[in-house]
Short mmCIF file of all heavy atoms in Angstrom, two decimals:
data_model
loop_
_atom_site.label_atom_id
_atom_site.label_comp_id
_atom_site.label_asym_id
_atom_site.label_seq_id
_atom_site.Cartn_x
_atom_site.Cartn_y
_atom_site.Cartn_z
N PRO T 85 9.52 -3.55 -25.93
CA PRO T 85 9.48 -4.19 -24.62
C PRO T 85 10.56 -3.65 -23.69
O PRO T 85 11.70 -3.44 -24.10
CB PRO T 85 9.74 -5.67 -24.95
CG PRO T 85 9.40 -5.81 -26.40
CD PRO T 85 9.74 -4.51 -27.03
N GLY T 86 10.18 -3.39 -22.44
CA GLY T 86 11.15 -2.96 -21.44
C GLY T 86 11.68 -1.57 -21.63
O GLY T 86 12.73 -1.22 -21.08
N ARG T 87 10.97 -0.73 -22.39
CA ARG T 87 11.42 0.65 -22.60
C ARG T 87 10.26 1.58 -22.30
O ARG T 87 9.12 1.30 -22.65
CB ARG T 87 11.87 0.82 -24.05
CG ARG T 87 12.80 2.00 -24.27
CD ARG T 87 13.35 1.97 -25.66
NE ARG T 87 12.36 2.30 -26.68
CZ ARG T 87 12.50 2.06 -27.97
NH1 ARG T 87 13.58 1.44 -28.41
NH2 ARG T 87 11.56 2.40 -28.84
N PHE T 88 10.54 2.72 -21.65
CA PHE T 88 9.46 3.55 -21.16
C PHE T 88 9.52 5.00 -21.65
O PHE T 88 8.51 5.69 -21.59
CB PHE T 88 9.45 3.54 -19.63
CG PHE T 88 9.29 2.17 -19.05
CD1 PHE T 88 10.39 1.41 -18.70
CD2 PHE T 88 8.04 1.62 -18.87
CE1 PHE T 88 10.26 0.13 -18.18
CE2 PHE T 88 7.88 0.35 -18.35
CZ PHE T 88 8.99 -0.40 -18.01
N TYR T 89 10.66 5.48 -22.11
CA TYR T 89 10.76 6.90 -22.43
C TYR T 89 9.90 7.30 -23.62
O TYR T 89 9.48 8.46 -23.73
CB TYR T 89 12.22 7.32 -22.66
CG TYR T 89 12.88 6.73 -23.87
CD1 TYR T 89 12.72 7.30 -25.14
CD2 TYR T 89 13.70 5.61 -23.77
CE1 TYR T 89 13.34 6.78 -26.25
CE2 TYR T 89 14.32 5.07 -24.88
CZ TYR T 89 14.14 5.65 -26.11
OH TYR T 89 14.77 5.12 -27.21
N ASP T 90 9.64 6.36 -24.54
CA ASP T 90 8.80 6.70 -25.68
C ASP T 90 7.39 6.13 -25.56
O ASP T 90 6.69 5.95 -26.55
CB ASP T 90 9.45 6.23 -26.99
CG ASP T 90 9.83 4.75 -26.96
OD1 ASP T 90 9.61 4.10 -25.92
OD2 ASP T 90 10.33 4.24 -27.98
N VAL T 91 6.99 5.84 -24.32
CA VAL T 91 5.61 5.41 -24.09
C VAL T 91 4.66 6.53 -24.50
O VAL T 91 4.90 7.70 -24.21
CB VAL T 91 5.40 5.08 -22.60
CG1 VAL T 91 3.93 4.96 -22.26
CG2 VAL T 91 6.13 3.80 -22.23
N ALA T 92 3.60 6.15 -25.21
CA ALA T 92 2.57 7.13 -25.59
C ALA T 92 1.38 6.97 -24.64
O ALA T 92 0.86 5.87 -24.49
CB ALA T 92 2.14 6.90 -27.03
N ARG T 93 0.98 8.04 -23.99
CA ARG T 93 -0.14 8.00 -23.04
C ARG T 93 -1.33 8.71 -23.67
O ARG T 93 -1.22 9.85 -24.10
CB ARG T 93 0.26 8.66 -21.73
CG ARG T 93 1.46 8.01 -21.07
CD ARG T 93 1.71 8.59 -19.69
NE ARG T 93 2.88 7.97 -19.08
CZ ARG T 93 3.25 8.17 -17.82
NH1 ARG T 93 2.54 8.96 -17.04
NH2 ARG T 93 4.32 7.57 -17.33
N HIS T 94 -2.46 8.04 -23.65
CA HIS T 94 -3.66 8.58 -24.29
C HIS T 94 -4.83 8.48 -23.31
O HIS T 94 -5.06 7.42 -22.72
CB HIS T 94 -3.98 7.83 -25.57
CG HIS T 94 -2.87 7.83 -26.57
ND1 HIS T 94 -2.79 8.76 -27.59
CD2 HIS T 94 -1.78 7.05 -26.68
CE1 HIS T 94 -1.70 8.53 -28.30
NE2 HIS T 94 -1.07 7.50 -27.78
N THR T 95 -5.55 9.56 -23.17
CA THR T 95 -6.74 9.60 -22.33
C THR T 95 -7.93 10.03 -23.19
O THR T 95 -7.83 10.99 -23.95
CB THR T 95 -6.54 10.58 -21.15
OG1 THR T 95 -5.38 10.20 -20.42
CG2 THR T 95 -7.75 10.57 -20.23
N PHE T 96 -9.04 9.29 -23.04
CA PHE T 96 -10.21 9.54 -23.86
C PHE T 96 -11.44 9.82 -23.00
O PHE T 96 -11.61 9.22 -21.92
CB PHE T 96 -10.51 8.33 -24.76
CG PHE T 96 -9.42 8.00 -25.73
CD1 PHE T 96 -8.48 7.04 -25.43
CD2 PHE T 96 -9.34 8.64 -26.96
CE1 PHE T 96 -7.47 6.70 -26.32
CE2 PHE T 96 -8.33 8.32 -27.86
CZ PHE T 96 -7.40 7.36 -27.54
N ASP T 97 -12.29 10.71 -23.49
CA ASP T 97 -13.62 10.88 -22.93
C ASP T 97 -14.40 9.61 -23.24
O ASP T 97 -14.53 9.22 -24.41
CB ASP T 97 -14.30 12.10 -23.57
CG ASP T 97 -15.65 12.40 -22.98
OD1 ASP T 97 -16.48 11.46 -22.88
OD2 ASP T 97 -15.91 13.57 -22.63
N ARG T 98 -14.92 8.94 -22.24
CA ARG T 98 -15.54 7.64 -22.48
C ARG T 98 -16.93 7.73 -23.10
O ARG T 98 -17.51 6.70 -23.45
CB ARG T 98 -15.60 6.83 -21.18
CG ARG T 98 -16.63 7.26 -20.15
CD ARG T 98 -16.53 6.32 -18.97
NE ARG T 98 -17.49 6.56 -17.92
CZ ARG T 98 -18.68 5.97 -17.85
NH1 ARG T 98 -19.06 5.14 -18.80
NH2 ARG T 98 -19.49 6.23 -16.83
N HIS T 99 -17.45 8.94 -23.25
CA HIS T 99 -18.75 9.10 -23.89
C HIS T 99 -18.63 9.53 -25.35
O HIS T 99 -19.49 9.22 -26.16
CB HIS T 99 -19.58 10.14 -23.13
CG HIS T 99 -19.69 9.85 -21.65
ND1 HIS T 99 -20.19 8.68 -21.16
CD2 HIS T 99 -19.35 10.61 -20.57
CE1 HIS T 99 -20.15 8.70 -19.84
NE2 HIS T 99 -19.64 9.86 -19.46
N THR T 100 -17.56 10.23 -25.69
CA THR T 100 -17.39 10.75 -27.05
C THR T 100 -16.15 10.21 -27.75
O THR T 100 -15.98 10.40 -28.96
CB THR T 100 -17.30 12.28 -27.02
OG1 THR T 100 -16.09 12.66 -26.33
CG2 THR T 100 -18.50 12.89 -26.32
N LEU T 101 -15.23 9.58 -26.99
CA LEU T 101 -13.92 9.11 -27.47
C LEU T 101 -13.04 10.26 -27.94
O LEU T 101 -12.10 10.05 -28.71
CB LEU T 101 -14.08 8.08 -28.59
CG LEU T 101 -14.69 6.73 -28.16
CD1 LEU T 101 -14.62 5.72 -29.30
CD2 LEU T 101 -14.00 6.18 -26.93
N GLN T 102 -13.32 11.46 -27.49
CA GLN T 102 -12.43 12.59 -27.77
C GLN T 102 -11.16 12.45 -26.93
O GLN T 102 -11.22 12.11 -25.75
CB GLN T 102 -13.12 13.91 -27.42
CG GLN T 102 -12.24 15.14 -27.65
CD GLN T 102 -12.91 16.42 -27.18
OE1 GLN T 102 -14.07 16.40 -26.78
NE2 GLN T 102 -12.19 17.52 -27.24
N ARG T 103 -10.01 12.69 -27.55
CA ARG T 103 -8.74 12.59 -26.82
C ARG T 103 -8.56 13.81 -25.94
O ARG T 103 -8.77 14.94 -26.36
CB ARG T 103 -7.57 12.47 -27.80
CG ARG T 103 -6.26 12.09 -27.14
CD ARG T 103 -5.19 11.83 -28.20
NE ARG T 103 -3.96 11.39 -27.58
CZ ARG T 103 -3.01 12.21 -27.12
NH1 ARG T 103 -3.18 13.51 -27.22
NH2 ARG T 103 -1.90 11.74 -26.59
N LEU T 104 -8.12 13.56 -24.70
CA LEU T 104 -7.94 14.63 -23.72
C LEU T 104 -6.47 14.78 -23.40
O LEU T 104 -5.79 13.79 -23.10
CB LEU T 104 -8.73 14.31 -22.44
CG LEU T 104 -10.22 14.00 -22.61
CD1 LEU T 104 -10.81 13.52 -21.29
CD2 LEU T 104 -10.96 15.23 -23.11
N ASP T 105 -5.96 16.00 -23.46
CA ASP T 105 -4.57 16.27 -23.10
C ASP T 105 -4.48 16.54 -21.60
O ASP T 105 -5.24 17.35 -21.07
CB ASP T 105 -4.04 17.49 -23.87
CG ASP T 105 -3.94 17.21 -25.37
OD1 ASP T 105 -3.81 16.03 -25.73
OD2 ASP T 105 -4.01 18.17 -26.15
N PHE T 106 -3.55 15.86 -20.94
CA PHE T 106 -3.47 16.02 -19.49
C PHE T 106 -2.07 16.41 -19.00
O PHE T 106 -1.93 16.94 -17.90
CB PHE T 106 -3.92 14.74 -18.79
CG PHE T 106 -2.96 13.58 -18.94
CD1 PHE T 106 -2.11 13.24 -17.91
CD2 PHE T 106 -2.90 12.85 -20.12
CE1 PHE T 106 -1.22 12.19 -18.05
CE2 PHE T 106 -2.02 11.80 -20.26
CZ PHE T 106 -1.17 11.46 -19.22
N TYR T 107 -1.03 16.14 -19.78
CA TYR T 107 0.32 16.48 -19.33
C TYR T 107 1.18 16.71 -20.56
O TYR T 107 1.41 15.78 -21.33
CB TYR T 107 0.87 15.35 -18.46
CG TYR T 107 2.24 15.62 -17.86
CD1 TYR T 107 2.55 16.86 -17.30
CD2 TYR T 107 3.22 14.63 -17.84
CE1 TYR T 107 3.80 17.10 -16.74
CE2 TYR T 107 4.46 14.87 -17.29
CZ TYR T 107 4.74 16.10 -16.74
OH TYR T 107 5.98 16.34 -16.18
N ALA T 108 1.65 17.92 -20.74
CA ALA T 108 2.34 18.32 -21.98
C ALA T 108 3.58 17.47 -22.27
O ALA T 108 3.95 17.28 -23.43
CB ALA T 108 2.72 19.80 -21.91
N VAL T 109 4.22 16.95 -21.23
CA VAL T 109 5.43 16.16 -21.44
C VAL T 109 5.12 14.89 -22.22
O VAL T 109 5.93 14.43 -23.04
CB VAL T 109 6.09 15.82 -20.09
CG1 VAL T 109 7.23 14.83 -20.27
CG2 VAL T 109 6.62 17.09 -19.43
N PHE T 110 3.94 14.29 -21.99
CA PHE T 110 3.59 13.04 -22.65
C PHE T 110 2.50 13.18 -23.70
O PHE T 110 2.08 12.20 -24.30
CB PHE T 110 3.15 11.99 -21.60
CG PHE T 110 4.28 11.40 -20.83
CD1 PHE T 110 4.61 11.89 -19.58
CD2 PHE T 110 5.03 10.37 -21.36
CE1 PHE T 110 5.66 11.35 -18.86
CE2 PHE T 110 6.08 9.82 -20.65
CZ PHE T 110 6.40 10.31 -19.40
N ASP T 111 2.00 14.39 -23.91
CA ASP T 111 0.92 14.57 -24.88
C ASP T 111 1.40 14.44 -26.32
O ASP T 111 0.62 14.19 -27.22
CB ASP T 111 0.25 15.95 -24.69
CG ASP T 111 -0.66 15.97 -23.48
OD1 ASP T 111 -1.04 14.87 -23.02
OD2 ASP T 111 -0.99 17.06 -22.99
N LYS T 112 2.71 14.62 -26.53
CA LYS T 112 3.29 14.47 -27.87
C LYS T 112 4.11 13.19 -27.93
O LYS T 112 4.42 12.58 -26.91
CB LYS T 112 4.19 15.67 -28.19
CG LYS T 112 3.48 17.02 -28.22
CD LYS T 112 4.47 18.13 -28.52
CE LYS T 112 3.81 19.49 -28.53
NZ LYS T 112 4.78 20.58 -28.78
N SER T 113 4.46 12.79 -29.14
CA SER T 113 5.36 11.66 -29.28
C SER T 113 6.75 12.07 -28.81
O SER T 113 7.06 13.26 -28.69
CB SER T 113 5.43 11.20 -30.74
OG SER T 113 6.07 12.19 -31.53
N PHE T 114 7.61 11.09 -28.56
CA PHE T 114 8.95 11.39 -28.06
C PHE T 114 9.73 12.24 -29.07
O PHE T 114 10.41 13.19 -28.70
CB PHE T 114 9.70 10.09 -27.78
CG PHE T 114 11.09 10.30 -27.24
CD1 PHE T 114 11.30 10.62 -25.91
CD2 PHE T 114 12.20 10.20 -28.07
CE1 PHE T 114 12.58 10.83 -25.41
CE2 PHE T 114 13.48 10.39 -27.59
CZ PHE T 114 13.67 10.71 -26.25
N ASP T 115 9.62 11.91 -30.35
CA ASP T 115 10.37 12.64 -31.38
C ASP T 115 9.92 14.10 -31.49
O ASP T 115 10.71 14.98 -31.83
CB ASP T 115 10.21 11.95 -32.73
CG ASP T 115 10.89 10.60 -32.76
OD1 ASP T 115 11.85 10.41 -31.99
OD2 ASP T 115 10.45 9.73 -33.54
N GLU T 116 8.65 14.36 -31.19
CA GLU T 116 8.12 15.72 -31.29
C GLU T 116 8.32 16.52 -30.01
O GLU T 116 8.08 17.73 -30.00
CB GLU T 116 6.62 15.67 -31.60
CG GLU T 116 6.28 15.07 -32.95
CD GLU T 116 4.78 14.87 -33.14
OE1 GLU T 116 4.07 14.74 -32.13
OE2 GLU T 116 4.34 14.87 -34.29
N SER T 117 8.79 15.89 -28.96
CA SER T 117 8.92 16.57 -27.67
C SER T 117 10.12 17.50 -27.64
O SER T 117 11.09 17.32 -28.40
CB SER T 117 9.05 15.53 -26.54
OG SER T 117 7.91 14.72 -26.48
N SER T 118 10.07 18.48 -26.74
CA SER T 118 11.20 19.39 -26.55
C SER T 118 12.33 18.67 -25.83
O SER T 118 12.14 17.56 -25.31
CB SER T 118 10.75 20.60 -25.73
OG SER T 118 10.38 20.20 -24.42
N THR T 119 13.50 19.31 -25.77
CA THR T 119 14.64 18.70 -25.11
C THR T 119 14.34 18.43 -23.64
O THR T 119 14.64 17.35 -23.11
CB THR T 119 15.88 19.60 -25.23
OG1 THR T 119 16.16 19.83 -26.61
CG2 THR T 119 17.09 18.95 -24.57
N GLY T 120 13.74 19.41 -22.96
CA GLY T 120 13.41 19.23 -21.56
C GLY T 120 12.43 18.09 -21.35
O GLY T 120 12.57 17.30 -20.40
N ALA T 121 11.43 17.98 -22.23
CA ALA T 121 10.45 16.90 -22.12
C ALA T 121 11.11 15.54 -22.39
O ALA T 121 10.78 14.55 -21.74
CB ALA T 121 9.30 17.14 -23.10
N LYS T 122 12.03 15.49 -23.35
CA LYS T 122 12.72 14.23 -23.63
C LYS T 122 13.54 13.76 -22.43
O LYS T 122 13.53 12.58 -22.07
CB LYS T 122 13.64 14.39 -24.86
CG LYS T 122 12.89 14.44 -26.18
CD LYS T 122 13.85 14.61 -27.34
CE LYS T 122 13.10 14.61 -28.67
NZ LYS T 122 14.00 14.81 -29.83
N VAL T 123 14.25 14.70 -21.80
CA VAL T 123 15.03 14.34 -20.62
C VAL T 123 14.12 13.84 -19.51
O VAL T 123 14.41 12.85 -18.83
CB VAL T 123 15.87 15.55 -20.13
CG1 VAL T 123 16.55 15.24 -18.80
CG2 VAL T 123 16.90 15.94 -21.18
N ARG T 124 12.97 14.50 -19.33
CA ARG T 124 12.04 14.08 -18.29
C ARG T 124 11.46 12.69 -18.60
O ARG T 124 11.30 11.86 -17.71
CB ARG T 124 10.93 15.12 -18.14
CG ARG T 124 9.86 14.78 -17.10
CD ARG T 124 10.46 14.41 -15.74
NE ARG T 124 11.48 15.30 -15.32
CZ ARG T 124 11.27 16.43 -14.64
NH1 ARG T 124 10.04 16.77 -14.33
NH2 ARG T 124 12.28 17.18 -14.28
N ARG T 125 11.16 12.44 -19.87
CA ARG T 125 10.61 11.14 -20.26
C ARG T 125 11.64 10.03 -20.08
O ARG T 125 11.29 8.88 -19.78
CB ARG T 125 10.13 11.19 -21.71
CG ARG T 125 8.92 12.08 -21.91
CD ARG T 125 8.58 12.26 -23.36
NE ARG T 125 8.06 11.04 -23.96
CZ ARG T 125 6.98 10.98 -24.72
NH1 ARG T 125 6.28 12.08 -24.97
NH2 ARG T 125 6.58 9.85 -25.24
N MET T 126 12.92 10.36 -20.27
CA MET T 126 13.97 9.35 -20.11
C MET T 126 14.35 9.11 -18.66
O MET T 126 15.08 8.16 -18.36
CB MET T 126 15.22 9.78 -20.89
CG MET T 126 15.06 9.72 -22.40
SD MET T 126 16.62 9.94 -23.28
CE MET T 126 17.03 11.63 -22.84
#
């Protein structure tokens, strides 16, 4: 609650439920992200 840097964003095709990648900074989990992506997420 009240924390946003490790928010996971998921986008799905509504006909197939295939996951769609739209922004590399949030496409991975926070722990798997690069240093630059972590700073941007924070």
Side-chain angles (χ1 to χ4, degrees):
R87 201 171 72 196
F88 301 93
Y89 67 83
D90 53 359
V91 166
R93 301 187 181 188
H94 303 265
T95 303
F96 298 95
D97 184 310
R98 74 179 182 92
H99 307 303
T100 65
L101 292 188
Q102 178 185 355
R103 191 173 183 274
L104 306 172
D105 293 335
F106 70 102
Y107 184 43
V109 172
F110 284 97
D111 284 342
K112 298 179 181 178
S113 69
F114 181 79
D115 293 334
E116 295 173 335
S117 299
S118 65
T119 302
K122 286 180 178 178
V123 173
R124 179 51 46 87
R125 292 172 70 133
M126 290 190 295

